[in-house]
Every structure is written in structure tokens, then in C-alpha cells.
Amino acid sequence: AQSVAQPEDQVNVAEGNPLTVKCTYSVSGNPYLFWYVQYPNRGLQFLLKYITGDNLVKGSYGFEAEFNKSQTSFHLKKPSALVSDSALYFCAVRDQAGTALIFGKGTTLSVSS
Amino acid sequence: DAGVIQSPRHEVTEMGQEVTLRCKPISGHDYLFWYRQTMMRGLELLIYFNNNVPIDDSGMPEDRFSAKMPNASFSTLKIQPSEPRDSAVYFCASSWEGHPYEQYFGPGTRLTVT
């Protein structure tokens, strides 16, 4: 069965520092991987996706993610964190049927000024 | 475009009452998804539709839950009877055939069952 794991419930970084939010996956077949962000009292917003091609994918708001097949990881990164990046981040994988998404538990990112 | 619209934004009801949540997807989108979010269980997919047809309802917790999509611009999620453990934020999301995984989420309905 398809699944993703986000090993950290919370990540704390100082503004201006690089940030990484971790995600590992387990899939049958080729992985379709995604990151979404949820700001307080809002619905989720799509950030970026990996389906095929370059292992480093760029997304919205300066975020990028690195696909690593050997480590079955898809970590979200940003070179310089902003306080406004503070939010709940979800990693997701396409389900076996190929249409719906299976979301991880989420990681709360807190960026301090 | 106004985005995905959900109503009501907040609902407080007593155990045993019927609750109906409503969703208007983005015009032109072919897929509609209903999710439930709780602290304990995270974000769970309940059911999704493609071109108004239910495709997978395996996430619907039990027979008390039902969902319909009578047309391309409207869907409902009904809970009858409601129970305190149904308290959660319910999200509706939509996407289109060209990019089915780029889902657009509504603001959610926060349901409290007392």
C-alpha cells in the first residue's frame, strides 16, 4: 500500500536559516509525490510535485524538494526561512488507484524572528 | 474565480441531529474530494467523485455518513445521526483532469457535535 511518513511533528528554525521538512515514502510502482501547506484556519494549498524528471523540483513561495530514490525520501527545503512560512506542511503520495492522494500526518514548521 | 466554497464554516449541533455540509467546487473541475481532519487521525480522505460519480467511498467511516453530487457545481456530505466523535474539520477539494493531483481546498467546515 502507498504511504508517506513525516518523522517530525514539529520543526523549529530561525528566520534566515535554511529549513528542511522530512518525508519518506513507500510505494508500489513509480512514486508521484507532493507537498501541501496549510496556514491556520485555512484549507491546504498545493506547493509542488514530483512525477518524473529532475530530482530537484521547485515550487511556490521559494520552496523546493529533493527526490531521492535510494533513500525513498522527498524532503522539502528552503534556503532562507521566513516567519510567514510558519504553517503545517503535508507530504502526500498518489494512491494505488492513481487519482486520490494519501497525506502524511503533517509537520508544523515554526520560524522565529 | 472564488475558489472552492464550503458552507457553513462552523456548525455546532447536538448528538443525534442530522448535519449537512455543502461544497461548490471550482467551475470546470472534474474531481471533488471530501476530507476530514482531526488532531488524532490527521487528514483522511472520505470519498471522491469524478464527473459527479462516486469513485471511492472506502474512507467513509460508517453508514451514518453519505455524500452526493447531483451536478457538477454542488456536493453534500451528510451525517445522520451525528455523534461527538464526528467533531472535526471537514474539507472539500476539487481538481481537474489535466492536473488531478493539484487539489484546491475549500476553507473547511468546523463541526462540533455536543
Side-chain angles (χ1 to χ4, degrees), chain B residues 44-96:
Chain B
E44 303 172 277
L45 175 65
L46 300 178
I47 185 172
Y48 75 92
F49 297 82
N50 180 216
N51 292 322
N52 314 337
V53 176
I55 302 300
D56 184 355
D57 65 354
S58 60
M60 296 286 261
E62 47 198 276
D63 292 345
R64 298 185 296 106
F65 285 67
S66 62
K68 295 182 179 180
M69 192 166 186
N71 56 61
S73 59
F74 184 65
S75 177
T76 60
L77 178 67
K78 185 177 293 186
I79 308 173
Q80 166 63 22
S82 58
E83 296 182 3
R85 60 193 168 120
D86 301 331
S87 298
V89 180
Y90 291 81
F91 288 103
C92 175
S94 69
S95 65
W96 69 288

Side-chain angles (χ1 to χ4, degrees), chain A residues 31-45:
Chain A
Y32 284 33
L33 298 161
F34 309 86
W35 278 101
Y36 279 75
V37 59
Q38 184 180 26
Y39 297 101
N41 300 312
R42 303 283 295 275
L44 279 68
Q45 295 179 34

Side-chain angles (χ1 to χ4, degrees), chain B residues 23-37:
Chain B
C23 176
K24 176 179 169 57
I26 292 173
S27 177
H29 280 190
D30 312 285
Y31 290 92
L32 185 139
F33 305 84
W34 282 102
Y35 293 91
R36 177 172 68 176
Q37 186 177 35

Side-chain angles (χ1 to χ4, degrees), chain A residues 32 34 36 38 41-46 49 51 88 90 94-95 97-101 103-105, chain B residues 9 31 33 35 37 40-43 45 48 56 91 99-108 110:
Chain A
Y32 284 33
F34 309 86
Y36 279 75
Q38 184 180 26
N41 300 312
R42 303 283 295 275
L44 279 68
Q45 295 179 34
F46 171 80
K49 66 183 177 186
I51 294 178
L88 182 58
F90 290 92
R94 180 185 66 165
D95 76 347
T99 301
L101 295 176
F103 288 89
K105 290 287 190 183
Chain B
R9 292 294 309 277
Y31 290 92
F33 305 84
Y35 293 91
Q37 186 177 35
M40 291 296 294
R41 301 175 67 90
L43 192 66
L45 175 65
Y48 75 92
D56 184 355
F91 288 103
H99 295 280
Y101 313 114
E102 294 180 27
Q103 298 178 16
Y104 291 77
F105 280 71
R110 182 174 296 277

Side-chain angles (χ1 to χ4, degrees), chain A residues 27-64:
Chain A
V27 301
S28 301
N30 294 323
Y32 284 33
L33 298 161
F34 309 86
W35 278 101
Y36 279 75
V37 59
Q38 184 180 26
Y39 297 101
N41 300 312
R42 303 283 295 275
L44 279 68
Q45 295 179 34
F46 171 80
L47 271 181
L48 52 80
K49 66 183 177 186
Y50 173 84
I51 294 178
T52 187
D54 195 348
N55 289 345
L56 185 65
V57 293
K58 295 188 183 298
S60 307
Y61 311 122
F63 284 93
E64 57 190 26

